[in-house]
Amino acid sequence: GRPYDTLGSVIGTSENDKGSLKSLGINYLEADIEPYLKVHDSLESFLEPLVSKPTAIAYIQKSCGYSFGRRALSCHDIGRVSNVVHRINPDCAVLVDNCYGEFVEPEEPCAVGADLVVGSLIKNPGGGLALTGGYIAGRTNLVNASLNRLTCPGIGGHMGLTYNQNRLMLQGLFQAPSIVSQALKGAHLFAYVFSQLGLSVSPGPFDSRADIIQAIQFGTPERLINFCRAIQKCSPVNAHVLPEPAAMPGYPQEIIMAGGTFIEGATIELSADGPLRSPFAAFVQGGLSYLHVKHALQEALELARSGKLAFLDG
């Protein structure tokens, strides 16, 4: 499927993406895999034209991104795809963007056949403590190749910045599974409450989950904006700030973001955001504690009931 919006300029899907993969002579193919995951025998015929030689990398995005209704891929799905890719082309590496998916399932992508996995430390694996950064894990030769790209050839992982936050990264990683469980419980609650209020939600309250993202469809830009403002008012930081939609680099539409978080941009803390495009869905994620998620939801609904921030019917 289509990757997250900001990766478009990295890949080079528009004409003026200087420094993109396309500008470096790297070709790109994109296709929706979801229908073929449901039919056991069709996966190989679907993947063969995509990953046969000279294809070097099969890129899989685990989470739904900003696609309402798109299912996050499970590790079972990723394992099936990885096995077929390697059977068709043993030289093709499977790369998984694991953002929002860490510790949601008993296994991680490399345990089911992926060659390389990447993610952000201000999401699940940072446990709300890491201040910035990301991780790369998997096959040694691919990790080393990534390090040469991150710093420079010949230097690789021997140099680099950690901003003196090694303790926070390790402590956050230690706490991450517990934090993710709180966020997941909160996502189930959001899904259940808003589905009971008649809104479309994805995933549903009783669906299996492979990431922490909960999408809620509001139908109009005004309702989406008001919902995000309600979440901001229930935040522990900058609750007095009024979020406004704005153009952001890498996004084709304006984005509204509620993020009253201790670490800027940390989506393992309770946040809500979405692009101002149909179906005007908010993507809610995170929550360092279930109690905060529950309190924020209750307060947001009270703001809607009182008419201060209208994002519901009636």
Side-chain angles (χ1 to χ4, degrees):
R2 178 152 294 185
Y4 192 70
D5 294 42
T6 50
L7 288 176
S9 56
V10 176
I11 294 164
T13 51
S14 68
E15 293 300 318
N16 299 316
D17 295 328
K18 293 181 179 178
S20 66
L21 297 179
K22 185 177 178 182
S23 73
L24 298 174
I26 298 170
N27 295 322
Y28 169 73
L29 295 171
E30 178 183 296
D32 182 11
I33 200 170
E34 180 68 25
Y36 301 92
L37 286 168
K38 297 174 182 176
V39 182
H40 182 73
D41 295 332
S42 66
L43 195 56
E44 190 146 357
S45 59
F46 165 72
L47 285 171
E48 189 159 11
L50 296 173
V51 303
S52 296
K53 292 182 178 183
T55 302
I57 291 177
Y59 171 81
I60 298 173
Q61 180 178 290
K62 193 178 201 298
S63 82
C64 62
Y66 272 163
S67 302
F68 184 85
R70 172 177 166 177
R71 181 178 64 89
L73 297 179
S74 68
C75 279
H76 175 72
D77 297 327
I78 292 169
R80 285 181 60 200
V81 173
S82 299
N83 289 335
V84 174
V85 168
H86 291 143
R87 192 160 59 243
I88 296 169
N89 181 0
D91 295 326
C92 182
V94 176
L95 165 64
V96 177
D97 178 347
N98 205 24
C99 282
Y100 300 104
E102 297 92 350
F103 307 118
V104 174
E105 300 180 272
E107 294 179 304
E108 298 298 330
C110 285
V112 296
D115 299 292
L116 201 65
V117 63
V118 298
S120 168
L121 294 180
I122 59 169
K123 297 183 175 69
N124 301 20
L129 290 178
L131 301 175
T132 186
Y135 70 90
I136 302 171
R139 280 170 40 195
T140 302
N141 65 320
L142 296 177
V143 172
N144 288 337
S146 302
L147 287 167
N148 280 337
R149 188 72 180 167
L150 181 68
T151 55
C152 68
I155 300 297
H158 295 288
M159 299 289 286
L161 232 51
T162 61
Y163 297 104
N164 197 32
Q165 63 156 351
N166 285 349
R167 180 182 64 80
L168 291 176
M169 285 193 290
L170 292 170
Q171 188 178 1
L173 181 63
F174 175 76
Q175 293 186 335
S178 176
I179 298 294
V180 171
S181 74
Q182 299 288 295
L184 275 173
K185 191 174 178 182
H188 279 284
L189 181 64
F190 265 85
Y192 181 79
V193 169
F194 280 99
S195 65
Q196 290 293 302
L197 292 170
L199 275 68
S200 295
V201 299
S202 178
F206 302 109
D207 292 344
S208 60
R209 292 172 183 263
D211 67 6
I212 63 169
I213 297 174
Q214 180 59 53
I216 306 163
Q217 184 176 315
F218 287 99
T220 70
E222 294 77 19
R223 289 184 180 183
L224 170 59
I225 292 167
N226 282 338
F227 172 76
C228 289
R229 288 175 173 174
I231 295 299
Q232 184 76 30
K233 282 184 176 293
C234 305
S235 300
V237 178
N238 286 337
H240 64 289
V241 171
L242 195 68
E244 291 282 354
M248 295 184 69
Y251 293 94
Q253 294 91 15
E254 288 188 329
I255 306 291
I256 179 77
M257 287 190 169
T261 55
F262 291 101
I263 295 169
E264 187 175 354
T267 44
I268 189 57
E269 301 180 52
L270 181 61
S271 58
D273 47 83
L276 265 67
R277 66 180 181 225
S278 183
F280 301 102
F283 296 83
V284 182
Q285 55 271 316
L288 296 178
S289 76
Y290 176 65
L291 288 177
H292 174 228
V293 175
K294 189 175 180 181
H295 168 74
L297 176 59
Q298 190 172 4
E299 290 295 306
L301 292 174
E302 178 58 29
L303 287 168
R305 189 198 64 80
S306 66
K308 293 178 181 178
L309 286 170
F311 55 84
L312 295 171
D313 287 325

Short mmCIF file of all heavy atoms in Angstrom, two decimals, residues 133-167:
data_model
loop_
_atom_site.label_atom_id
_atom_site.label_comp_id
_atom_site.label_asym_id
_atom_site.label_seq_id
_atom_site.Cartn_x
_atom_site.Cartn_y
_atom_site.Cartn_z
N GLY A 133 15.48 10.25 18.51
CA GLY A 133 16.22 9.13 17.94
C GLY A 133 15.35 8.01 17.40
O GLY A 133 14.13 8.03 17.50
N GLY A 134 16.05 7.03 16.83
CA GLY A 134 15.39 5.86 16.28
C GLY A 134 16.28 4.66 16.40
O GLY A 134 17.37 4.73 16.97
N TYR A 135 15.80 3.52 15.90
CA TYR A 135 16.60 2.30 15.97
C TYR A 135 16.57 1.58 14.63
O TYR A 135 15.63 1.73 13.84
CB TYR A 135 16.09 1.37 17.08
CG TYR A 135 14.75 0.74 16.77
CD1 TYR A 135 14.66 -0.48 16.10
CD2 TYR A 135 13.56 1.38 17.12
CE1 TYR A 135 13.45 -1.05 15.78
CE2 TYR A 135 12.33 0.82 16.82
CZ TYR A 135 12.28 -0.39 16.14
OH TYR A 135 11.06 -0.94 15.82
N ILE A 136 17.61 0.80 14.38
CA ILE A 136 17.70 -0.09 13.24
C ILE A 136 18.17 -1.43 13.77
O ILE A 136 19.15 -1.49 14.52
CB ILE A 136 18.72 0.43 12.19
CG1 ILE A 136 18.33 1.83 11.71
CG2 ILE A 136 18.80 -0.52 11.00
CD1 ILE A 136 19.38 2.49 10.84
N ALA A 137 17.49 -2.51 13.43
CA ALA A 137 17.86 -3.84 13.92
C ALA A 137 17.66 -4.85 12.81
O ALA A 137 16.86 -4.65 11.90
CB ALA A 137 17.02 -4.22 15.13
N GLY A 138 18.43 -5.95 12.90
CA GLY A 138 18.27 -7.01 11.92
C GLY A 138 19.60 -7.63 11.53
O GLY A 138 20.51 -7.73 12.35
N ARG A 139 19.70 -8.05 10.26
CA ARG A 139 20.92 -8.70 9.78
C ARG A 139 22.12 -7.77 9.89
O ARG A 139 22.04 -6.59 9.52
CB ARG A 139 20.73 -9.14 8.34
CG ARG A 139 19.94 -10.44 8.20
CD ARG A 139 19.56 -10.74 6.77
NE ARG A 139 20.62 -10.42 5.80
CZ ARG A 139 20.40 -10.32 4.49
NH1 ARG A 139 19.18 -10.53 4.01
NH2 ARG A 139 21.40 -10.04 3.67
N THR A 140 23.23 -8.30 10.38
CA THR A 140 24.41 -7.48 10.65
C THR A 140 24.87 -6.71 9.44
O THR A 140 25.18 -5.50 9.52
CB THR A 140 25.55 -8.37 11.18
OG1 THR A 140 25.10 -9.05 12.35
CG2 THR A 140 26.78 -7.55 11.52
N ASN A 141 24.94 -7.35 8.27
CA ASN A 141 25.44 -6.65 7.08
C ASN A 141 24.53 -5.51 6.67
O ASN A 141 24.99 -4.46 6.19
CB ASN A 141 25.64 -7.64 5.92
CG ASN A 141 24.33 -8.26 5.45
OD1 ASN A 141 23.46 -8.60 6.26
ND2 ASN A 141 24.17 -8.42 4.15
N LEU A 142 23.22 -5.67 6.88
CA LEU A 142 22.29 -4.60 6.52
C LEU A 142 22.32 -3.46 7.54
O LEU A 142 22.19 -2.29 7.17
CB LEU A 142 20.87 -5.16 6.40
CG LEU A 142 20.67 -6.19 5.28
CD1 LEU A 142 19.25 -6.73 5.29
CD2 LEU A 142 20.99 -5.59 3.91
N VAL A 143 22.47 -3.80 8.82
CA VAL A 143 22.61 -2.77 9.84
C VAL A 143 23.88 -1.95 9.58
O VAL A 143 23.87 -0.71 9.64
CB VAL A 143 22.64 -3.38 11.25
CG1 VAL A 143 22.99 -2.33 12.30
CG2 VAL A 143 21.29 -4.01 11.59
N ASN A 144 24.98 -2.63 9.26
CA ASN A 144 26.23 -1.92 8.97
C ASN A 144 26.10 -1.04 7.73
O ASN A 144 26.64 0.08 7.69
CB ASN A 144 27.38 -2.92 8.79
CG ASN A 144 27.80 -3.56 10.09
OD1 ASN A 144 27.57 -2.99 11.16
ND2 ASN A 144 28.41 -4.73 10.02
N ALA A 145 25.42 -1.54 6.71
CA ALA A 145 25.20 -0.72 5.52
C ALA A 145 24.37 0.52 5.85
O ALA A 145 24.62 1.62 5.34
CB ALA A 145 24.50 -1.55 4.44
N SER A 146 23.39 0.36 6.73
CA SER A 146 22.56 1.49 7.16
C SER A 146 23.39 2.50 7.94
O SER A 146 23.22 3.71 7.78
CB SER A 146 21.39 0.99 8.02
OG SER A 146 20.62 0.04 7.34
N LEU A 147 24.29 2.00 8.79
CA LEU A 147 25.14 2.90 9.56
C LEU A 147 26.07 3.71 8.66
O LEU A 147 26.33 4.89 8.91
CB LEU A 147 25.96 2.10 10.58
CG LEU A 147 25.16 1.55 11.78
CD1 LEU A 147 25.98 0.53 12.55
CD2 LEU A 147 24.74 2.69 12.69
N ASN A 148 26.57 3.09 7.61
CA ASN A 148 27.41 3.82 6.66
C ASN A 148 26.63 4.93 5.96
O ASN A 148 27.18 5.98 5.62
CB ASN A 148 27.99 2.87 5.60
CG ASN A 148 29.20 2.10 6.12
OD1 ASN A 148 29.85 2.54 7.06
ND2 ASN A 148 29.49 0.97 5.51
N ARG A 149 25.36 4.69 5.77
CA ARG A 149 24.50 5.70 5.15
C ARG A 149 24.15 6.80 6.16
O ARG A 149 24.02 7.97 5.82
CB ARG A 149 23.24 5.01 4.65
CG ARG A 149 22.32 5.85 3.82
CD ARG A 149 22.88 6.13 2.45
NE ARG A 149 21.93 6.95 1.71
CZ ARG A 149 22.20 7.57 0.60
NH1 ARG A 149 23.39 7.47 0.06
NH2 ARG A 149 21.29 8.30 0.00
N LEU A 150 23.99 6.40 7.43
CA LEU A 150 23.60 7.34 8.48
C LEU A 150 24.72 8.32 8.80
O LEU A 150 24.48 9.51 9.01
CB LEU A 150 23.20 6.57 9.74
CG LEU A 150 22.73 7.39 10.94
CD1 LEU A 150 21.40 8.05 10.65
CD2 LEU A 150 22.60 6.49 12.17
N THR A 151 25.96 7.81 8.88
CA THR A 151 27.10 8.68 9.15
C THR A 151 27.87 8.86 7.84
O THR A 151 27.54 9.74 7.07
CB THR A 151 28.00 8.09 10.25
OG1 THR A 151 28.41 6.74 9.89
CG2 THR A 151 27.26 8.02 11.58
N CYS A 152 28.87 8.03 7.59
CA CYS A 152 29.55 8.04 6.29
C CYS A 152 30.30 6.73 6.11
O CYS A 152 30.65 6.08 7.11
CB CYS A 152 30.48 9.24 6.15
SG CYS A 152 31.92 9.20 7.21
N PRO A 153 30.54 6.32 4.87
CA PRO A 153 31.25 5.06 4.63
C PRO A 153 32.61 5.06 5.33
O PRO A 153 33.34 6.04 5.30
CB PRO A 153 31.41 5.04 3.10
CG PRO A 153 30.27 5.86 2.59
CD PRO A 153 30.09 6.94 3.61
N GLY A 154 32.91 3.93 5.97
CA GLY A 154 34.16 3.80 6.69
C GLY A 154 34.06 4.17 8.16
O GLY A 154 34.87 3.72 8.98
N ILE A 155 33.06 4.98 8.51
CA ILE A 155 32.85 5.38 9.91
C ILE A 155 31.77 4.52 10.55
O ILE A 155 31.92 3.99 11.64
CB ILE A 155 32.48 6.87 10.01
CG1 ILE A 155 33.59 7.74 9.42
CG2 ILE A 155 32.20 7.25 11.45
CD1 ILE A 155 34.91 7.65 10.16
N GLY A 156 30.65 4.37 9.82
CA GLY A 156 29.57 3.50 10.28
C GLY A 156 29.13 3.80 11.70
O GLY A 156 28.87 4.95 12.06
N GLY A 157 29.06 2.75 12.51
CA GLY A 157 28.56 2.90 13.88
C GLY A 157 29.60 3.25 14.90
O GLY A 157 29.32 3.26 16.10
N HIS A 158 30.82 3.57 14.45
CA HIS A 158 31.88 3.90 15.40
C HIS A 158 31.76 5.32 15.92
O HIS A 158 32.37 5.68 16.91
CB HIS A 158 33.26 3.70 14.76
CG HIS A 158 33.53 2.26 14.41
ND1 HIS A 158 33.79 1.30 15.35
CD2 HIS A 158 33.54 1.62 13.21
CE1 HIS A 158 33.97 0.13 14.75
NE2 HIS A 158 33.82 0.30 13.46
N MET A 159 30.98 6.14 15.22
CA MET A 159 30.78 7.53 15.63
C MET A 159 29.29 7.81 15.58
O MET A 159 28.53 7.16 14.89
CB MET A 159 31.52 8.49 14.71
CG MET A 159 33.03 8.30 14.67
SD MET A 159 33.85 8.82 16.18
CE MET A 159 33.75 10.60 16.01
N GLY A 160 28.88 8.84 16.32
CA GLY A 160 27.47 9.22 16.27
C GLY A 160 27.02 9.84 17.57
O GLY A 160 27.67 9.69 18.61
N LEU A 161 25.90 10.52 17.50
CA LEU A 161 25.39 11.30 18.63
C LEU A 161 24.34 10.52 19.40
O LEU A 161 23.45 9.91 18.81
CB LEU A 161 24.76 12.58 18.08
CG LEU A 161 25.22 13.90 18.68
CD1 LEU A 161 26.73 14.01 18.66
CD2 LEU A 161 24.61 15.06 17.90
N THR A 162 24.42 10.52 20.72
CA THR A 162 23.32 9.99 21.54
C THR A 162 22.78 11.07 22.48
O THR A 162 21.86 10.81 23.25
CB THR A 162 23.78 8.80 22.39
OG1 THR A 162 24.82 9.23 23.28
CG2 THR A 162 24.27 7.66 21.52
N TYR A 163 23.32 12.28 22.40
CA TYR A 163 22.86 13.40 23.22
C TYR A 163 22.88 13.06 24.71
O TYR A 163 22.04 13.53 25.49
CB TYR A 163 21.46 13.86 22.81
CG TYR A 163 21.40 14.37 21.40
CD1 TYR A 163 20.86 13.60 20.38
CD2 TYR A 163 21.88 15.64 21.07
CE1 TYR A 163 20.80 14.07 19.07
CE2 TYR A 163 21.83 16.11 19.77
CZ TYR A 163 21.30 15.33 18.78
OH TYR A 163 21.25 15.80 17.49
N ASN A 164 23.80 12.19 25.11
CA ASN A 164 23.95 11.82 26.52
C ASN A 164 22.66 11.25 27.10
O ASN A 164 22.34 11.47 28.27
CB ASN A 164 24.42 13.02 27.35
CG ASN A 164 24.98 12.61 28.70
OD1 ASN A 164 25.57 11.53 28.82
ND2 ASN A 164 24.80 13.44 29.71
N GLN A 165 21.88 10.53 26.27
CA GLN A 165 20.60 10.00 26.75
C GLN A 165 20.57 8.47 26.77
O GLN A 165 19.49 7.88 26.73
CB GLN A 165 19.45 10.56 25.90
CG GLN A 165 19.49 10.18 24.45
CD GLN A 165 18.11 10.23 23.79
OE1 GLN A 165 17.09 10.38 24.43
NE2 GLN A 165 18.10 10.07 22.48
N ASN A 166 21.72 7.83 26.85
CA ASN A 166 21.74 6.37 26.86
C ASN A 166 20.90 5.80 28.00
O ASN A 166 20.19 4.80 27.84
CB ASN A 166 23.17 5.84 26.94
CG ASN A 166 23.90 5.97 25.61
OD1 ASN A 166 23.28 6.27 24.59
ND2 ASN A 166 25.21 5.77 25.62
N ARG A 167 21.02 6.40 29.18
CA ARG A 167 20.25 5.89 30.33
C ARG A 167 18.76 6.00 30.06
O ARG A 167 17.99 5.06 30.34
CB ARG A 167 20.61 6.67 31.60
CG ARG A 167 19.82 6.18 32.84
CD ARG A 167 20.14 6.99 34.07
NE ARG A 167 19.73 8.38 33.94
CZ ARG A 167 18.48 8.81 34.11
NH1 ARG A 167 17.50 7.94 34.39
NH2 ARG A 167 18.18 10.08 33.98
#
